[in-house]
Amino acid sequence: VQLVESGGGLVQAGGSLRLSCAASGFTFDRYYIGWFRQAPGKEREGVSCISSSGKSTYYADSVKGRITISRDNAKNTVYLQMNSLKPEDTAVYYCARRTSYGSNWYSVHQYDYWGQGTQVTVSS
């Protein structure tokens, strides 16, 4: 199982980035995929999650209306479109494969495999 994030970078406040999570080594369209982020000195927090079909999506309150998650099962890839970025969005962003399906999609304990992360830095 492998998850590889890309698309991070440095952007000014108000700008946009699109992150990608390329998956391999498992049957991609059978799994929910989540995005998390971790800022220095803070715990990893859930940003968004998408169901295996892509029909259901979930967002943290802090990003609702600014971030959109999507997936292309033909390409084994999940995307995170981030708009109206704020300095507080600065963090390392990770994607992960979800294997437990309790009510808390944002719990790290529901995910088994993680990517290496991609840095997003938003300057003010």
Side-chain angles (χ1 to χ4, degrees):
V1 174
Q2 192 171 19
L3 298 165
V4 180
E5 303 94 338
S6 61
L10 173 64
V11 64
Q12 289 188 333
S16 299
L17 282 174
R18 188 176 82 154
L19 306 184
S20 298
C21 171
S24 61
F26 64 100
T27 306
F28 181 72
D29 62 6
R30 293 184 180 177
Y31 290 88
Y32 285 45
I33 301 292
W35 280 98
F36 288 75
R37 65 186 181 187
Q38 188 166 19
K42 295 188 176 181
E43 291 188 355
R44 193 167 296 191
E45 64 171 353
V47 175
S48 185
C49 180
I50 189 166
S51 65
S52 53
S53 67
K55 291 181 179 179
S56 297
T57 57
Y58 310 87
Y59 297 95
D61 287 343
S62 60
V63 304
K64 278 181 182 176
R66 299 189 298 118
I67 287 181
T68 302
I69 191 170
S70 62
R71 67 191 293 161
D72 185 338
N73 284 345
K75 295 183 178 180
N76 284 11
T77 302
V78 173
Y79 304 98
L80 195 69
Q81 178 66 46
M82 305 191 296
N83 301 323
S84 302
L85 284 163
K86 304 176 181 179
E88 50 264 44
D89 294 317
T90 295
V92 177
Y93 283 70
Y94 301 88
C95 62
R97 187 180 76 168
R98 188 179 181 191
T99 53
S100 298
Y101 295 94
S103 58
N104 299 339
W105 65 266
Y106 45 84
S107 169
V108 297
H109 303 293
Q110 295 197 8
Y111 298 81
D112 60 351
Y113 285 94
W114 296 77
Q116 83 291 346
T118 185
Q119 176 71 47
V120 171
T121 303
V122 184
S123 63
S124 57

